[in-house]
Amino acid sequence: MFEKVLIANRGEIALRIHRACHEMGIATVAVHSTADRDAKHVLMADESVCIGPPAAAQSYLNVPAIMSAAEITGANAIHPGYGFLSENARFAEIVESHGLTFIGPSPDHIRLMGDKITAKAAVKEAGIPVVPGSDGEINDPDEAMKVAKDVGFPLLVKAAAGGGGRGMKLARTSADLAQAVQTARAEAAAAFGDGAVYLERYLEQPRHIEVQVVADSHGNVVHLGERDCSLQRRNQKVLEEAPSPALNAAQRQEIGEIVRKAIGKIGYLGVGTVEFLYENGEFFFIEMNTRLQVEHPVTEMITGLDLVREQIRIASGEKLSVSQDQISFNGCAIECRINAEHPKTFVPSPGMVKDFHVPGGLGVRLDSAMYSGYTIPPYYDSLIGKLIVHGGCRKDALRRLKRSLEELVVAGVETTIPLFKDLLHEDEFIRGEYHIHWLEDWLEKSAD
Ligand code: ADP
């Protein structure tokens, strides 16, 4: 097992990883920008190294500075968290070439899944159902029209290198298609440095349901059930729950087994998430994330498994701590992403947190790097905390969520807390009847 792990991240996820390390007796090294000197992930770590100025490109994405920090502190492994360098295959290679362990999958798997075109082809080959669309890259409007003849409209033009809900253009009819392909290619080239795009049938009212998998280097693969992440704004997740209110145990078992077998065939290592759109009882793969996800706690709450601990164990060559038949799904967990943003306009609201009061009690977890007096810097993602509740059933979890939101205080900055409070008055949400556009429709209605 590793003696010292460098955490190449910040905020709540850096703290989350630090906690798992300390429970395993592993020392931690924090890295930070000059803007994060007083950040909690720095204060809690055993050692810390400043790796650059506030801009992420010069600090949290600064590979030479991070490698130097690992070198001078004698870290044995690097955990990338999510975002930043977590899905950067080249970084994983560099870490390994310095004789350190990258806590994550192999660079080849990161690369394979990082390109949505190669990812789709690979999982299809391994037996996972995918969204009907083009077989590969679309280079010009004529090719796009050919696909449209087979697949029909509406069609979504998607960037192979897309991420964070960006890089998608909708074409409702053939009149929109040429323009959509052109714009998507230009935007993808500018945003991701890769102009490759492909086509997918646009599903009108699907749910976003994703399956968590964990695989070790001894040939063991388990699935940990699904998360429903259909509550989205601008294709970004806002609230997640496990299990999905739309699936029964047989459906869970069926999709879980399909994914488990496919991941075994692909030879994947570590934790990963296979994302689907789900409509009229059918699953359609959209992408695989080769890292820990923001919403991993809801899975931890219903399985009792520590996913970061499993990641670290697997990276050090140990076996998975559980087999598939030892995994059971207990109750329901819901996570609210608390962002420092105005709850109606979503304009970022950095600044000083004057007061921070955390709810407690049975089945309540708050993952955050905030403290009273902490100043949220304007340079990074606006996620400042995650409130996660667990209950014996969905009704219990909703009651607990309501009670926890009443207790939670974040004063001094605008947050999305009022949004979640309002949501708990909506019958459709309470009944679990929502799809990926439901939240935006509801926000529009409530703005009137
Ligand atoms: P990203 O990597 O940017 O997260 P994804 O492919 O995972 O991109 O898609 C993000 C979200 O975009 C999905 O959760 C869904 O809301 C929407 N989306 C993606 N593909 C489709 C599709 N074929 N039809 C309808 N919505 C889609």
Side-chain angles (χ1 to χ4, degrees):
M1 184 48 70
F2 311 118
E3 280 170 20
K4 197 186 273 190
V5 167
L6 181 140
I7 302 165
N9 217 302
R10 65 181 299 282
E12 68 87 18
I13 197 62
L15 212 54
R16 165 75 190 86
I17 297 160
H18 163 85
R19 286 172 174 152
C21 287
H22 266 208
E23 286 180 16
M24 297 173 82
I26 300 170
T28 57
V29 180
V31 291
H32 65 92
S33 70
T34 50
D36 276 344
R37 269 184 217 292
D38 300 324
K40 202 163 171 183
H41 80 277
V42 178
L43 305 176
M44 299 278 284
D46 298 297
E47 288 169 82
S48 65
V49 181
C50 182
I51 50 165
Q58 293 170 59
S59 50
Y60 296 101
L61 294 170
N62 183 343
V63 175
I66 293 170
M67 293 314 301
S68 305
E71 187 79 36
I72 57 173
T73 54
N76 321 114
I78 297 185
H79 195 308
Y82 54 66
F84 295 129
L85 296 165
S86 62
E87 288 170 296
N88 185 319
R90 185 72 197 117
F91 177 61
E93 271 163 6
I94 291 169
V95 172
E96 301 283 338
S97 71
H98 280 73
L100 275 75
T101 302
F102 177 77
I103 302 178
S106 73
D108 287 346
H109 281 123
I110 299 176
R111 209 164 268 131
L112 177 72
M113 297 303 174
D115 180 315
K116 291 185 182 178
I117 294 176
T118 54
K120 223 173 147 174
V123 302
K124 193 175 169 189
E125 168 81 27
I128 290 181
V130 303
V131 188
S134 60
D135 274 335
E137 186 181 348
I138 288 292
N139 292 295
D140 57 59
D142 290 346
E143 262 184 88
M145 279 312 296
K146 273 191 208 130
V147 176
K149 283 214 173 73
D150 287 346
V151 181
F153 284 98
L155 275 176
L156 199 57
V157 187
K158 295 178 72 170
R166 294 174 309 141
M168 288 180 246
K169 282 272 166 298
L170 176 63
R172 286 233 164 247
T173 66
S174 57
D176 313 330
L177 189 57
Q179 187 63 52
V181 170
Q182 243 163 15
T183 320
R185 283 173 65 89
E187 284 184 11
F192 313 114
D194 174 3
V197 299
Y198 62 107
L199 295 181
E200 228 168 61
R201 179 193 292 159
Y202 177 72
L203 303 178
E204 295 282 359
Q205 293 200 330
R207 300 183 78 110
H208 173 119
I209 297 180
E210 56 187 34
V211 177
Q212 176 73 58
V213 287
V214 194
D216 67 17
S217 57
H218 302 268
N220 304 302
V221 189
V222 297
H223 77 82
L224 300 177
E226 82 287 5
R227 297 185 282 262
D228 196 317
C229 314
S230 304
L231 278 189
Q232 301 182 354
R233 184 179 161 270
R234 300 199 168 159
N235 298 322
Q236 285 180 3
K237 299 160 187 168
V238 173
L239 175 149
E240 303 94 347
E241 57 180 302
S244 167
L247 297 192
N248 61 35
Q251 290 168 309
R252 172 167 310 113
Q253 161 83 358
E254 192 186 349
I255 191 66
E257 278 305 308
I258 289 173
V259 170
R260 192 166 82 88
K261 288 195 184 116
I263 290 305
K265 265 191 209 159
I266 291 169
Y268 186 82
L269 184 78
V271 310
T273 303
V274 180
E275 298 193 334
F276 294 94
L277 294 180
Y278 176 79
E279 195 171 63
N280 302 326
E282 271 187 277
F283 284 96
F284 302 98
F285 170 86
I286 47 172
E287 70 162 339
M288 175 162 186
N289 286 324
T290 54
R291 54 170 169 83
L292 189 68
Q293 284 192 290
V294 175
E295 61 272 24
H296 76 276
V298 291
T299 299
E300 295 186 324
M301 300 296 266
I302 66 161
T303 59
L305 214 62
D306 179 333
L307 280 173
V308 179
R309 182 188 177 96
E310 293 302 317
Q311 276 191 302
I312 297 170
R313 285 173 56 100
I314 291 166
S316 77
E318 290 184 21
K319 286 187 178 161
L320 265 170
S321 68
V322 285
S323 59
Q324 190 69 52
D325 55 14
Q326 290 173 318
I327 293 162
S328 57
F329 305 113
N330 301 312
C332 171
I334 304 176
E335 172 182 280
C336 296
R337 293 192 187 198
I338 299 165
N339 290 349
E341 288 171 358
H342 188 281
K344 294 245 186 283
T345 62
F346 299 97
V347 171
S349 175
M352 196 205 272
V353 178
K354 299 212 176 82
D355 194 13
F356 179 41
H357 178 82
V358 178
L362 183 65
V364 179
R365 165 174 173 183
L366 203 132
D367 280 18
S368 173
M370 254 188 301
Y371 53 85
S372 293
Y374 170 66
T375 298
I376 302 165
Y379 312 104
Y380 312 106
D381 193 272
S382 58
L383 181 83
I384 50 168
K386 306 184 309 203
L387 171 63
I388 307 115
V389 295
H390 180 244
C393 62
R394 193 164 182 274
K395 245 190 191 153
D396 284 347
L398 286 170
R399 275 195 281 258
R400 192 154 281 156
L401 181 58
K402 183 164 181 289
R403 188 272 290 172
S404 309
L405 285 166
E406 281 162 9
E407 282 183 32
L408 176 60
V409 177
V410 181
V413 294
E414 298 280 2
T415 75
T416 46
I417 296 167
L419 167 84
F420 298 112
K421 286 184 173 166
D422 288 349
L423 208 52
L424 284 165
H425 295 288
E426 280 303 316
D427 285 345
E428 282 176 328
F429 170 67
I430 290 167
R431 290 199 303 270
E433 290 167 8
Y434 55 82
H435 52 78
I436 59 170
H437 305 299
W438 185 91
L439 182 65
E440 285 195 343
D441 294 347
W442 175 75
L443 285 167
E444 226 169 85
K445 256 191 289 166
S446 37
D448 296 340

